[in-house]
Amino acid sequence: MNLPHSRIEIPAPHRNLFHFDASFGAQYLPNGQTRFRLWGPSVTTAALKVNNHAAIPMQKLDGGWYELHAQIAPGSLYCYRVQPEGGEEMFNVPDPASRLQHNDVHDHSVVVDPASYAWQNTEWRGRPWHETVLYELHVGTCGGFKGVQARLKTLADLGITAVELMPIADFPGARNWGYDGVLPYAPDAAYGTPDELKALIDTAHGLGLMVFLDVVYNHFGPDGNDLGKYAQPFFRHDIKTPWGDAIDFREAPVRRFFIENALYWLQEYRFDGLRFDAMHAIHDQSFLPELAQEVQLALAPYRHVHLVLEHDGNVSPLLDGIYDAQWNDDGHHVLHVLLTGECHGYYCDYADNPIAKLARCLAEGFVFQGEISAHRGGVPRGHPSTALPPTAFVLFLQNHDQVGNRAFGERLTTLAHPAALRAAYALLLLSPQIPLLFMGEEIGATQPFLYFTSHVAPGLSEAVREGRRNEFASFPAFSDEATRALIPDPGDIATYNNSVVAAQATDPESSIWLSRIQVLLAVRHTEIVPRLPGCHSLGAEVIGTAAVLARWRMGDQSILTVIVNFADEHIALAADVFARTGSGRMIHATNGCADQFVQGRIPPHGFIALLE
């Protein structure tokens, strides 16, 4: 599918500046020297060790900083040797802003030349947000950076416009979801080299694809984080999290560390956007607008750069000109309840009258806009979102969390009625919210996507396995230890291997799925995307026990109507409903809707979209 995309003209002085001068870490300079900087407010001395030679003392600066300029070439291996305050023992630690690790998180850092890659698509300036169709993938299960690069043309031909990489920051071991990363500036060496990552992004840009990166700023993983040895103020010891002491965003250098990390990925690697994981877990929420504003100030005049939140608080004020969008977990949860009938865990908040909650999601974005959440202990959740455009929400039926956090990683293809699932995909891809597909959905994959790790620290793999199984102890299906023992071990290589999905359709059923998704995306790009700027909701209403009708005034003043029926029986459209919609031009229909709609009926598990 050949999709046009917008360009932004960049003034000549800003062209081809594809490197970022960070305050932290090793910066290779044009004069052939490398500048090393470490924030170590909790040490009395710091030195640099290069290629296992004798340590070179670093100059102590104000504010806990240490710096050294030296004639050190790219590819050199280095670490910092620090002496904590009040102690006599010296420790070797990797660079917390390492741009690359030699093997793993506990090994030496590597000096990287940011200019070593020769970019080909230097005129790429991105695409507007409303053109976005996201495809989330795990780099490791797709064959590393080279493996993802090989899949890009297939995704572009399908109608995907943005590939979202799950976190790639260096993590312990060879396999991980990425949310255990401890060195946020270093692409994990298990996936490939920095230049191979740049080649992936460069190739994507040549195909008209944006590339997004999922980043984790709310915690570090359990193994390999040495910051506490030399930068104790990095953490606040009065607030505990599931990962240990909370990161202290009250400290200016801490804020800079993560703001510069965002700028580094966007500028030096030319990512088109970032997805920020679980930002509700950051205790100083003032960091969130500061981060977005600095990014937009630095890059927005010259490029389309998109910032997407994951935030359990449904923080609609942050979506009004600060962040582009938020992952709409509400939308996922209510659709999951309608498709599967499940009502345990967080699904309990959506079990009562789910079709009305779906109507609110389609009309207003969030379901919870200040209402009480029973799952969260009876506290209010969310902020009003009715004034936001539909494109402020990323909608999905599956993602890494909603599949992988299940005990057995089941996909909807094994949980939902096939016809109802087809209707749900039509709703996902033809409604005005920004759609996201998780790898494998385009071919109707039935393989699980499981939670996997490969921790090497003594006892950690066993602790993760038991912790994972104990997470499900409150679920009726896992109330006894013998049943919980069946939950796959995250550290077992078989758990990882079972999560690898085929790169393309390999059987008739998966080919049918692929064709179906491609048709839906073609309709989206032809009929929906050009009309999204200026789109706003005209409301949604329940028209059956499990059926809803939603309408939007599009930017060109046309009206988009979608009707979906998740029930097992037909519904008859009321006369006034049919009068409001019957003159519309049908742009897509499933499961016999095209014929039955003219008779004022919607069949079981049916979907229809109309433009008038």
Side-chain angles (χ1 to χ4, degrees):
M1 184 181 294
N2 187 16
L3 302 171
H5 54 270
S6 302
R7 295 184 179 274
I8 295 178
E9 288 300 320
I10 293 186
H14 295 278
R15 295 181 185 271
N16 303 325
L17 297 180
F18 304 139
H19 67 271
F20 179 71
D21 187 3
S23 302
F24 301 78
Q27 183 76 44
Y28 184 65
L29 305 173
N31 64 4
Q33 288 192 326
T34 299
R35 183 192 66 220
F36 297 88
R37 279 188 186 153
L38 174 71
W39 187 56
S42 306
V43 302
T44 55
T45 62
L48 177 74
K49 283 181 64 69
V50 179
N51 295 331
N52 290 319
H53 295 312
I56 309 170
M58 300 178 72
Q59 180 183 4
K60 188 172 185 177
L61 307 176
D62 293 339
W65 288 92
Y66 291 84
E67 182 176 287
L68 174 68
H69 288 242
Q71 203 77 23
I72 307 296
S76 299
L77 307 184
Y78 72 98
C79 67
Y80 298 119
R81 188 161 177 79
V82 298
Q83 183 177 25
E85 292 175 340
E88 297 182 1
E89 187 177 358
M90 301 283 286
F91 293 95
N92 291 341
V93 295
D95 190 338
S98 168
R99 280 171 155 88
L100 177 66
Q101 285 297 101
H102 180 63
N103 294 323
D104 208 355
V105 295
H106 295 289
D107 297 311
H108 285 82
S109 303
V110 183
V111 176
V112 171
D113 179 5
S116 63
Y117 180 79
W119 291 92
Q120 302 301 303
N121 295 287
T122 57
E123 297 302 308
W124 171 262
R125 302 298 172 246
R127 302 180 67 140
W129 174 244
H130 71 275
E131 295 180 359
T132 304
V133 176
L134 286 158
Y135 184 91
E136 186 192 24
L137 60 81
H138 182 272
V139 173
T141 61
C142 291
F145 298 138
K146 287 185 176 180
V148 175
Q149 182 181 359
R151 298 187 184 203
L152 293 175
K153 187 176 187 308
T154 298
L155 294 175
D157 290 343
L158 177 64
I160 299 298
T161 64
V163 174
E164 180 177 310
L165 310 183
M166 288 174 64
I168 60 173
D170 208 308
F171 49 77
R175 305 178 305 279
N176 199 285
W177 268 24
Y179 299 91
D180 289 326
V182 293
L183 297 172
Y185 286 75
D188 197 283
Y191 295 159
T193 67
D195 282 1
E196 287 170 347
L197 174 58
K198 291 176 181 179
L200 182 168
I201 297 167
D202 202 4
T203 299
H205 291 167
L207 293 167
L209 287 168
M210 296 181 284
V211 186
F212 286 60
L213 179 63
D214 192 345
V215 293
V216 183
Y217 293 167
N218 61 82
H219 75 278
F220 293 94
D223 181 25
N225 172 24
D226 292 320
L227 280 161
K229 295 179 180 178
Y230 54 85
Q232 292 183 16
F234 211 99
F235 303 95
R236 52 186 305 174
H237 310 297
D238 58 328
I239 297 178
K240 303 296 181 182
T241 77
W243 307 279
D245 291 343
I247 297 172
D248 194 349
F249 281 90
R250 299 172 300 179
E251 292 281 347
V254 174
R255 296 167 91 97
R256 289 309 311 170
F257 183 81
F258 291 107
I259 289 171
E260 290 190 6
N261 183 258
L263 291 169
Y264 160 76
W265 289 120
L266 292 167
Q267 188 162 318
E268 194 158 298
Y269 282 86
R270 303 181 67 205
F271 278 99
D272 299 279
L274 301 173
R275 181 261 189 190
F276 298 96
D277 178 69
M279 294 293 264
H280 53 270
I282 291 176
H283 289 272
D284 187 346
Q285 291 281 291
S286 68
F287 170 71
L288 275 62
E290 180 184 343
L291 167 65
Q293 288 160 2
E294 287 222 28
V295 168
Q296 298 294 354
L297 182 65
L299 297 173
Y302 315 118
R303 290 170 51 192
H304 292 291
V305 173
H306 307 301
L307 305 179
V308 180
L309 284 172
E310 182 196 23
H311 198 299
D312 193 59
N314 286 0
V315 284
S316 52
L318 287 175
L319 306 180
D320 187 9
I322 301 175
Y323 287 82
D324 292 87
Q326 179 182 308
W327 272 28
N328 195 348
D329 285 329
D330 280 354
H332 167 271
H333 296 348
V334 71
L335 282 164
H336 189 91
V337 170
L338 285 164
L339 288 168
T340 68
E342 293 180 0
C343 57
H344 55 262
Y346 43 68
Y347 294 129
C348 71
D349 276 348
Y350 305 85
D352 179 30
N353 199 7
I355 197 63
K357 291 180 171 63
L358 176 61
R360 190 179 205 196
C361 166
L362 294 174
E364 302 177 17
F366 294 136
V367 173
F368 281 86
Q369 302 180 34
E371 289 77 14
I372 296 297
S373 166
H375 174 67
R376 291 162 182 80
V379 298
R381 173 176 174 243
H383 301 263
S385 58
T386 55
L388 293 172
T391 52
F393 307 94
V394 175
L395 188 60
F396 41 83
L397 293 175
Q398 300 179 96
N399 60 38
H400 72 272
D401 270 333
Q402 308 305 338
V403 180
N405 280 338
R406 300 179 65 85
F408 297 108
E410 306 100 321
R411 293 174 178 263
L412 283 174
T413 43
T414 67
L415 299 171
H417 189 289
L421 190 55
R422 290 195 293 273
Y425 275 107
L427 179 66
L428 168 69
L429 298 178
L430 297 184
S431 63
Q433 294 188 25
I434 298 297
L436 178 144
L437 293 171
F438 182 56
M439 61 178 189
E441 283 189 273
E442 76 280 12
I443 57 173
T446 57
Q447 294 104 313
F449 183 72
L450 298 157
Y451 176 67
F452 48 80
T453 61
S454 57
H455 292 299
V456 294
L460 186 53
S461 184
E462 293 78 6
V464 169
R465 179 187 65 227
E466 294 311 308
R468 168 74 171 168
R469 290 172 176 172
N470 289 335
E471 284 180 14
F472 295 93
S474 62
F475 289 68
F478 301 100
S479 58
D480 63 275
E481 188 173 340
T483 306
R484 292 196 296 275
L486 300 175
I487 297 173
D489 178 359
D492 188 340
I493 184 66
T495 302
Y496 173 84
N497 289 336
N498 289 338
S499 302
V500 176
V501 178
Q504 57 190 8
T506 56
D507 58 67
E509 183 60 28
S510 61
S511 295
I512 291 170
W513 266 104
L514 188 65
S515 176
R516 187 181 295 132
I517 296 297
Q518 189 165 30
V519 166
L520 285 167
L521 287 177
V523 175
R524 180 178 186 85
H525 289 300
T526 301
E527 303 285 4
I528 308 298
V529 168
R531 298 178 167 93
L532 280 179
C535 168
H536 65 273
S537 172
L538 295 176
E541 57 190 291
V542 174
I543 57 172
T545 56
V548 67
L549 177 151
R551 306 176 83 217
W552 296 267
R553 175 77 67 182
M554 307 304 283
D556 65 351
Q557 300 305 303
S558 63
I559 296 176
L560 171 67
T561 301
V562 301
I563 304 173
V564 62
N565 178 21
F566 289 114
D568 294 328
E569 64 274 347
H570 289 77
I571 61 166
L573 297 175
D576 66 315
V577 171
F578 188 70
R580 280 186 282 131
T581 60
S583 61
R585 173 173 61 89
M586 186 190 73
I587 59 174
H588 190 76
T590 72
N591 201 32
C593 266
D595 294 330
Q596 296 205 31
F597 176 73
V598 296
Q599 302 172 32
R601 291 158 55 90
I602 300 294
H605 308 137
F607 171 91
I608 192 166
L610 308 126
L611 268 174
E612 54 182 304

